[in-house]
Amino acid sequence: MAKVKNWQINREMNYPYDEKRPKRQWAIVFDLNKCIACQTCTLACKTTWTSGKGQEYMFWNNVETKPYGAYPLAWDVRVLEKLGRQEWKSKEPYYGKTIFEGADPNERAVGFKPEDEDWMYPNNGEDDCAGTVTKGDHITLPHDKWFFYLPRTCAHCTYPACLAACPRKAIYKREEDGIVLIDQSRCKGYGECVKACPYKKSMYNPYTRISEKCVGCYPAVEQGYQPMCVQNCIGKIRIMGFINPPWKAREDNPLDYLVHKKGLALPYYPQLGLEPNIYYIPPIHADKSYLSQMFGPNVLGAIGQYQALQDDPVAQGLLLLMGSTDRIIHRFEVKNGMATGFDEADDEIVSVPVTEPLMERKPFDEKLGAVRQNTP
Amino acid sequence: MTRFGISATWIIAGALWAAPAWGVTASKVNDKVIDVDSGAALWAKAQEEVVTLMAQPIALPRPAKTETAQIRVKAVHDGSWIAFLLRWKDSEKSEAGILGKFSDGAALQFPVGDGDPPPIFMGARGQPVHIFHWRAQYQRDAEKGKPEMTDLYPNMNPDMYPMEFKDPGSLKGKIGKAQQEVYSHGKAAGNPQSYLKSGVDEIFAEGFGSSSVIENADSKARGKWSKGEWSLVITRPLERSNGSVLKAGSPAWMAFAVWQGDRDEVGSRKSVTMSWLPLEVK
Ligand code: SF4
Ligand code: SF4
């Protein structure tokens, strides 16, 4: 076991391999306040990557309703239960056990083996809310009955459990972008990654008899484009880019800005110790204790930041760049009421107004001689 | 620690070769052994060795306990091929299939090259081993064909796969298997695991996690499960160019591994011999 630095839990931890950070790290930020569970991302992924045999129930990208939805069934509560109760005090490093530190001596990580059936109800729990809605109920803030949508891909973790658990070393993390891949020519389908990945993003294909997982749309990323789930997001809730560790963070990098500078977006279940690279702007009206379990003690700070957005034109501008280009934004700036994104060569790729100009349309259209209907 | 102590002693014993009282002995027979099966009469006279296995102790993940403590081994050869008969108790026949179902299996391991044998656990860099890996799953393939999705899930009703249309219309006869299989990642990548198998894979390895399957290997295997016991015959040519070479009269080594699929044994979760066993080809 090597000692490696995990900034998400703010301490050193044990991992089977030495710390070796890639040149840059693939990452996505999701604004959970805006996801509508339209599943366009899921289908964009499915039609691109998993339409073949043995992939019928395979969703590298899925969107589940929290707290009750989960694909595969109950993955989150089962992992948390296996790891056991752990403490994480606010403003302190996480001193509880990670899945690597809590592992049985015969195993690489605390994990569970999902059953075949567990993958067959991807919409389980959809739109179920926590609490019973009774007659006369009305909305209060924060919501006493709540749910939110959680879109998920592989997190291309800095310390992947899938990679750690593979005795064939058939899983590797790319030096150039941190994308974690299962070598489709070497995997023998032992299913160790399926068992070890706490997020359950490594999946078994019974037709090819080997495991598969989200590839981060690496062919697009290599060309400077964001993954299909990001490009096609209807709610414009996603942005993919490259994140630096906090000690190398650059304020004009969209991912660094959201995660490190503003603390608006947080990794999910960071206490598991993988340093996952999908980050969430938490839903501000959901139950705080649930959110703290999922996003750690910094979640209250992130919610505060989101609620103060109206006074922050830079963050506002950046959130507007989400979903406004298919290309990967390497640098952004917000100036004179415009938010602009730049590519790797620092050429401008997109520019959007922070505040849309107000257009007033008269109720009666003189030219057509018709009353305007407000149908969008 | 003791375990390693014992294995080191055994390797030294090997260096000072003297006809040991234990090990596998392959006598020469007059019949051809290439297609021999476990019920053949020639086995009656072959000497049996009881080989002790233990849960693989080194590489993680590893089994929590030994699932196969013993196998009984016999061997015969005809001058060009050698046959090994392995028998072990396994209460349930497992042929893998859907997620979480693993296959029963067994493997023979031989050193490549002369001199001191490589490290017992799948060799080491520059010290390769030659492995014959049989899986019940592969044998099922050989007998019944590689399962289609509808074999694995009899009640499923897939409407369409890419390039595989129920009514191809004008595309009839124009789309080949190769085009369809572009959508099967493992197959498109040429992974041997994703293809129809003959029953046994020949593999070279230089340490844990380094194995690669040899193409066009001609060894054979046939397992039979009955009343809680597997009887498996693996036959191989005595000499394999670039691989392990067995010669009548020359001392040799071999090792064994067994997997019980229903006990979640797969990959590094297996029972193995803890040291090389002498093999005497008479
Ligand atoms: S989310 Fe799971 S599959 Fe993806 S890199 Fe992390 S451990 Fe591996
Ligand atoms: S496409 Fe966007 S809004 Fe729709 S479910 Fe996916 S993440 Fe949510």
Side-chain angles (χ1 to χ4, degrees), chain A residues 20-26 173-179 242-245 248 344:
Chain A
K20 191 163 171 280
R21 289 179 183 271
K23 286 206 191 80
R24 55 189 187 193
Q25 176 60 55
W26 179 109
K173 185 167 175 69
R174 307 211 307 177
E175 174 76 30
E176 61 267 43
D177 50 23
I179 289 175
F242 298 104
I243 191 168
N244 291 300
K248 284 194 188 155
E344 197 173 7

Side-chain angles (χ1 to χ4, degrees), chain A residues 56 116 168 192 207-209, chain B residues 141 146 153 161 194 211:
Chain A
E56 294 81 357
D116 203 34
R168 271 185 72 68
E192 298 291 356
Y207 184 69
T208 59
R209 310 198 283 209
Chain B
D141 279 11
K146 187 178 169 293
Y153 298 95
Y161 291 110
S194 305
S211 62

Side-chain angles (χ1 to χ4, degrees), chain B residues 211-227:
Chain B
S211 62
S212 56
V213 176
I214 307 167
E215 280 179 52
N216 307 321
D218 52 0
S219 54
K220 293 170 192 281
R222 188 139 164 68
K224 213 181 270 167
W225 185 89
S226 161
K227 297 191 189 116

Side-chain angles (χ1 to χ4, degrees), chain B:
Chain B
M1 268 337 271
T2 351
R3 295 204 282 251
F4 304 110
I6 292 170
S7 81
T9 338
W10 285 11
I11 289 170
I12 293 164
L16 319 164
W17 176 272
W22 44 276
V24 179
T25 310
S27 308
K28 186 148 191 268
V29 292
N30 294 327
D31 301 326
K32 289 265 166 267
V33 303
I34 180 166
D35 288 319
V36 72
D37 79 22
S38 56
L42 57 77
W43 293 115
K45 275 184 260 151
Q47 190 179 319
E48 182 173 272
E49 174 73 9
V50 177
V51 177
T52 305
L53 306 186
M54 280 179 74
Q56 185 278 117
I58 308 280
L60 293 180
R62 61 194 172 204
K65 64 180 182 42
T66 304
E67 298 292 355
T68 314
Q70 261 185 5
I71 50 173
R72 291 180 293 139
V73 182
K74 290 182 174 185
V76 290
H77 76 97
D78 61 13
S80 53
W81 282 69
I82 183 164
F84 296 91
L85 170 63
L86 278 55
R87 277 192 280 221
W88 70 94
K89 297 259 178 272
D90 182 343
S91 55
E92 192 179 317
K93 180 181 183 182
S94 325
E95 297 176 318
I98 60 171
L99 168 74
K101 298 272 179 258
F102 301 115
S103 174
D104 292 334
L108 310 179
Q109 175 181 282
F110 302 89
V112 174
D114 304 328
D116 289 348
I120 177 83
F121 296 110
M122 294 177 73
R125 190 170 294 224
Q127 293 173 275
V129 292
H130 186 179
I131 295 169
F132 296 77
H133 182 196
W134 168 87
R135 275 198 199 183
Q137 177 187 32
Y138 301 161
Q139 182 167 318
R140 187 207 170 280
D141 279 11
E143 287 165 3
K144 301 183 190 157
K146 187 178 169 293
E148 282 296 321
M149 288 309 293
T150 40
D151 298 322
L152 298 172
Y153 298 95
N155 294 323
M156 89 185 285
N157 182 24
D159 42 7
M160 194 201 89
Y161 291 110
M163 298 292 170
E164 210 174 312
F165 311 105
K166 282 194 174 146
D167 175 11
S170 61
L171 290 172
K172 197 165 183 199
K174 292 198 179 129
I175 304 167
K177 199 87 188 138
Q179 268 164 295
Q180 291 168 352
E181 295 197 328
V182 166
Y183 294 88
S184 273
H185 309 311
K187 287 196 160 197
N191 190 327
Q193 177 74 9
S194 305
Y195 285 90
L196 183 74
K197 295 282 194 166
S198 63
V200 64
D201 268 347
E202 283 192 43
I203 295 168
F204 283 135
E206 298 192 9
F208 275 119
S210 67
S211 62
S212 56
V213 176
I214 307 167
E215 280 179 52
N216 307 321
D218 52 0
S219 54
K220 293 170 192 281
R222 188 139 164 68
K224 213 181 270 167
W225 185 89
S226 161
K227 297 191 189 116
E229 186 176 70
W230 275 108
S231 306
L232 166 70
V233 178
I234 300 182
T235 54
R236 56 158 289 181
L238 280 169
E239 297 193 22
R240 156 82 69 232
S241 52
N242 305 323
S244 55
V245 175
L246 305 174
K247 277 199 195 94
S250 309
W253 299 101
M254 72 182 302
F256 299 88
V258 172
W259 290 262
Q260 300 213 11
D262 65 306
R263 303 298 174 91
D264 283 353
E265 288 197 321
V266 68
S268 54
R269 300 179 199 265
K270 58 188 169 187
S271 298
V272 294
T273 34
M274 298 295 297
S275 68
W276 290 100
L277 235 74
L279 164 65
E280 195 186 359
V281 184
K282 280 196 173 154

Side-chain angles (χ1 to χ4, degrees), chain A residues 34-41 63 151 229 232-235 237-238:
Chain A
K34 298 196 294 185
C35 177
I36 54 172
C38 63
Q39 306 278 8
T40 312
C41 46
V63 185
C229 58
N232 288 286
C233 175
I234 297 292
I237 80 146
R238 301 180 175 220

